[in-house]
Amino acid sequence: MGARSIPPPPPVVRRALAPLWPLVAVAITGLMVPVVVAGAFHALVDRRARLFRVACLAVLLLWVDIRMLVRCWTLGAGRRDTASPQWRAAHEELLSDALDSLMYYTRRWLGLEVELTDRMHFGTEDHALLALARHAGPFDSLAVAWLLARTAGRLPRIVLAEALRWDPGVDTILTRLDSFFVPSAGDDRLAGVRGMAASLEPADVLLIFPEGQNWTPSRRAHLIERLRRRGDHRRADRAEELVNVLPPKTRGAWAARQARPDADVMVVAHAGFGHLSTLRSIWAAIPFRGRPFLVRTWTWRSADVPDDPVVFAAWLDERWGEVDAWVTAHTTPEGIPELADPARRPGSGTSTR
């Protein structure tokens, strides 16, 4: 069951959950102490210390979330001028710090390393940016958001599943930063995407995952089967051609493009973690040393992106074919990332079109 199918907390539960969240964290931390101790002893048998690593990381990330929530309360306790640039800047800095902490602890405890294969181009100065990213593997949303914030210098606004409102820290800060939680049902699920895109500042980036869900081999197979049953053989054939990605859904990306036709468009591909699609495979890969999260981006000026919905859909489908080819070239049959040309390192080329 994906996050999209999980309903959000009812309003009364959502209001009650936030003040109780630190107490929940204390209780969870207490329950995790025996697990951490057991993991320390288990490391004598498991040289990779997987249980110890995961248990410690879970506690640390929980308290990063609590710290973010408490700092949100502190900001809200003062003068609440939600329309002021200072209000937004304070929350953007808080989210950036949280992303840095999440990546730091994930790198330290699990060995997650993000590595660019080419120089990133961030679009035209003083233009907003729409980032369309591949969605596959654990940590990909976190890694891409952090990369945009720290490398591109653009803190992303993110389209998220509404189920993430169960986390009061995520709910509070991203609501204040006008991110959009896609409802699990409703007549117009794209209204928030249009609103976010329309309100982008020149230094902002809107992060969208056009596939709509994490790619896994089983999801790819089920999608092809479902399209065949519906009689949509053209799309099924296209889905079969794409080995490492799902066919992109155009509606969300087009809604953003339509709302901000002046925004440049970045396509984000990544390799290395897509095949870690089950808890067993993730567990077997920990720690992730020798498995970098490889990233490649392509950026188009707004004038070079189609402004007709049919042509845009074909354009996006072609881009996703390029993403699939790049992922295939940078992934072994076992799902291990590899540089097609080891001599090419970050900064040695350009990803501008």
Side-chain angles (χ1 to χ4, degrees):
M1 180 174 65
R4 293 186 307 161
S5 60
I6 301 174
V12 64
V13 174
R14 186 180 166 204
R15 286 193 296 269
L17 191 58
L20 292 175
W21 197 234
L23 298 178
V24 172
V26 171
I28 293 175
T29 302
L31 293 173
M32 287 297 293
V33 169
V35 181
V36 172
V37 173
F41 282 104
H42 187 254
L44 299 174
V45 178
D46 179 9
R47 291 295 183 179
R48 287 187 279 174
R50 286 172 289 191
L51 179 59
F52 182 67
R53 291 175 185 273
V54 171
C56 289
L57 180 64
V59 173
L60 287 167
L61 296 190
L62 175 61
W63 284 100
V64 169
D65 188 62
I66 296 298
R67 183 182 64 182
M68 182 172 65
L69 178 61
V70 171
R71 290 178 65 184
C72 280
W73 290 344
T74 303
L75 290 173
R79 182 169 172 267
R80 294 175 63 99
D81 184 3
T82 58
S84 71
Q86 292 79 11
W87 170 269
R88 182 169 189 86
H91 286 83
E92 288 181 344
E93 182 180 358
L94 176 53
L95 181 56
S96 292
D97 289 345
L99 286 172
D100 282 343
S101 295
L102 290 170
M103 286 301 298
Y104 171 78
Y105 289 126
T106 306
R107 183 187 307 116
R108 181 179 180 86
W109 289 93
L110 296 188
L112 176 64
E113 295 287 349
V114 178
E115 183 174 326
L116 286 166
T117 63
D118 288 88
R119 182 182 296 116
M120 294 179 72
H121 186 276
F122 310 131
T124 308
E125 188 177 357
D126 296 329
H127 276 231
L129 185 66
L130 304 178
L132 311 178
R134 181 198 184 207
H135 204 7
F139 314 116
D140 71 321
S141 301
L142 167 63
V144 171
W146 174 81
L147 186 65
L148 289 170
R150 285 308 178 199
T151 304
R154 294 175 182 249
L155 187 67
R157 300 194 193 180
I158 311 172
V159 178
L160 303 152
E162 202 172 23
L164 290 175
R165 288 195 184 277
W166 283 100
D167 183 327
V170 171
D171 184 13
T172 301
I173 193 164
L174 291 185
T175 297
R176 292 184 182 183
L177 288 174
D178 303 317
S179 287
F180 177 54
F181 293 85
V182 181
S184 54
D187 295 332
D188 189 358
R189 302 174 67 194
L190 299 177
V193 176
R194 297 189 190 97
M196 272 203 304
S199 65
L200 290 175
E201 298 292 336
D204 287 343
V205 54
L206 175 58
L207 177 57
I208 298 177
F209 298 92
E211 291 158 285
Q213 58 184 336
N214 258 356
W215 173 91
T216 68
S218 60
R219 278 184 180 149
R220 175 179 177 270
H222 291 157
L223 174 63
I224 294 170
E225 181 183 354
R226 187 165 64 251
L227 291 173
R228 294 287 184 207
R229 286 200 308 265
R230 291 179 181 174
D232 194 346
H233 298 292
R234 184 187 65 82
R235 288 191 65 201
D237 290 342
R238 179 54 177 156
E240 284 187 329
E241 293 173 358
L242 299 172
V243 178
N244 292 293
V245 298
L246 300 176
K249 299 177 181 179
T250 309
R251 293 180 64 223
W254 173 247
R257 168 71 178 157
Q258 195 174 26
R260 285 302 294 267
D262 62 314
D264 295 332
V265 178
M266 173 187 284
V267 173
V268 184
H270 58 80
F273 284 71
H275 284 75
L276 302 184
S277 56
T278 65
L279 290 177
R280 176 177 292 183
S281 62
I282 295 170
W283 184 262
I286 295 173
F288 303 124
R289 298 192 183 97
R291 184 189 283 268
F293 186 90
L294 299 179
V295 180
R296 169 74 152 94
T297 65
W298 300 261
T299 305
W300 284 262
R301 293 182 294 271
S302 58
D304 297 329
V305 180
D307 55 7
D308 175 82
V310 175
V311 180
F312 177 81
W315 179 87
L316 184 59
D317 192 57
E318 185 177 352
R319 303 288 77 76
W320 239 244
E322 294 170 354
V323 169
D324 184 59
W326 181 89
V327 175
T328 301
H330 290 78
T331 309
T332 69
E334 294 77 26
I336 305 298
E338 62 178 5
L339 288 171
D341 180 359
R344 289 186 64 81
R345 310 306 297 178
S348 62
T350 177
S351 54
T352 308
R353 285 197 176 188

